[in-house]
Amino acid sequence: MRAAAGLGEHGQIHAVLYNNQGERFSYMIGYFLPQTGLPQGFKKLQIPPQMYAIFSTGLNPDGQSGIHDLWRRIWGEWFPTCDYQFANGPEFEMTYDRGNGMYEMGVWIPVVKK
C-alpha cells in the first residue's frame, strides 16, 4: 500500500473504523491525503469534524503495539468513569514511526459530553 500510494518505506498508515453498528463496522486502512491528490484505485472517506478522546499505547518495539490492551482499558476503565460517552462516528488507530525501530499507536474515539 505504501508503494501504491507513493508514501515510501516509512509512510504513516492509519486505520479507520466507521459505520459502527454495535458488533459490526467497516474497517479501512489509509493515510492522510497527499497534496498531489488521491491515487487511482483508492477511495476517499470524508470525516466530519467532531470531538475525540485520544489515547496512546506509548512507545513499543516494532511488532509489539499493545493496541488490544489499550482498547480494553478504554472501554473497561475510561468510559465507565468519565464525563463523556461514545458518539457514533469514525474511530481511528493511528500508527506513528518514532524512529530506531520504535512505534507508538494512538486510538481516537469520537465523544460527546454526557
Side-chain angles (χ1 to χ4, degrees):
M1 178 176 172
R2 284 183 176 96
L7 296 178
E9 182 181 344
H10 298 288
Q12 301 297 299
I13 294 179
H14 309 290
V16 61
L17 297 78
Y18 61 105
N19 294 335
N20 189 324
Q21 299 169 8
E23 295 290 317
R24 298 182 60 164
F25 55 85
S26 299
Y27 188 86
M28 179 185 286
I29 301 294
Y31 59 94
F32 294 108
L33 187 63
Q35 296 292 328
T36 57
L38 193 65
Q40 186 175 351
F42 283 68
K43 293 184 180 182
K44 182 177 180 179
L45 179 65
Q46 294 284 13
I47 299 171
Q50 60 190 91
M51 183 176 4
Y52 281 87
I54 302 171
F55 306 88
S56 172
T57 60
L59 290 177
N60 290 284
D62 189 11
Q64 301 176 20
S65 71
I67 194 73
H68 298 293
D69 184 53
L70 181 58
W71 278 106
R72 279 191 290 277
R73 291 181 58 218
I74 291 167
W75 289 100
E77 297 173 21
W78 189 76
F79 268 117
T81 61
C82 74
D83 293 330
Y84 295 90
Q85 63 188 25
F86 177 73
N88 196 11
E91 302 165 59
F92 302 96
E93 288 182 346
M94 309 294 278
T95 304
Y96 305 101
D97 182 347
R98 300 299 190 202
N100 297 321
M102 300 297 286
Y103 292 83
E104 178 181 6
M105 291 191 73
V107 171
W108 295 37
I109 298 181
V111 295
V112 292
K113 194 92 167 144
K114 288 181 182 176

